[in-house]
Amino acid sequence: QVELVESGGGLVQAGGSLNLSCSTSGEVFTTYTMAWFRRVPGQSREFVAVINRAGSNTDYLDSVKGRFTISRDNSKNTAFLQMNGLKPEDTAIYYCAGRPWGISTSAGAYISWGRGTQVTVSS
């Protein structure tokens, strides 16, 4: 497992943008598939986006396609989630997750998790 730390959350008006970051000091970052999940209190974690180790393959939750972009900088051991056109229904705690295998959209498949960062979108 590696320690993951999210940053970049906050309060934004509908239509606005935020860029979340997920960083780690571990040397294994380049071997990890990275993903973002989100959770609304009282609900289970929901897959948002995933990127493979090389950054050449991605997948997204249908409701965020065209608005969110996942990327990674392996030289800086950091993954990103650029969120544009935010909507009130995007309000949640966003978690970064990693696994040393291929792409998966299942939360149970990930072995490393950050503590989360709050994203609040006002109408």
Side-chain angles (χ1 to χ4, degrees):
Q1 297 186 8
V2 298
E3 180 181 6
L4 303 174
V5 179
E6 303 97 336
S7 62
L11 172 63
V12 64
Q13 290 187 334
S17 298
L18 286 173
N19 189 25
L20 305 185
S21 297
C22 172
S23 62
T24 176
S25 59
E27 296 180 353
V28 298
F29 178 81
T30 58
T31 68
Y32 268 51
T33 289
M34 299 301 296
W36 290 93
F37 290 80
R38 65 188 181 187
R39 184 176 63 85
V40 174
Q43 299 183 18
S44 59
R45 291 183 184 182
E46 177 182 51
F47 164 76
V48 176
V50 62
I51 188 166
N52 68 343
R53 286 167 283 195
S56 58
N57 191 18
T58 59
D59 195 10
Y60 295 91
L61 176 70
D62 282 346
S63 63
V64 308
K65 285 180 180 178
R67 300 189 297 124
F68 291 12
T69 302
I70 188 171
S71 62
R72 65 191 296 159
D73 185 340
N74 286 343
S75 69
K76 297 181 179 179
N77 292 337
T78 304
F80 304 95
L81 184 68
Q82 176 67 45
M83 306 187 294
N84 299 327
L86 282 161
K87 304 176 181 180
E89 52 263 42
D90 294 318
T91 295
I93 300 172
Y94 282 71
Y95 297 89
C96 174
R99 59 185 250 122
W101 302 288
I103 281 182
S104 174
T105 61
S106 173
Y110 288 81
I111 64 170
S112 295
W113 290 87
R115 294 187 176 184
T117 185
Q118 177 71 47
V119 171
T120 303
V121 184
S122 63
S123 58

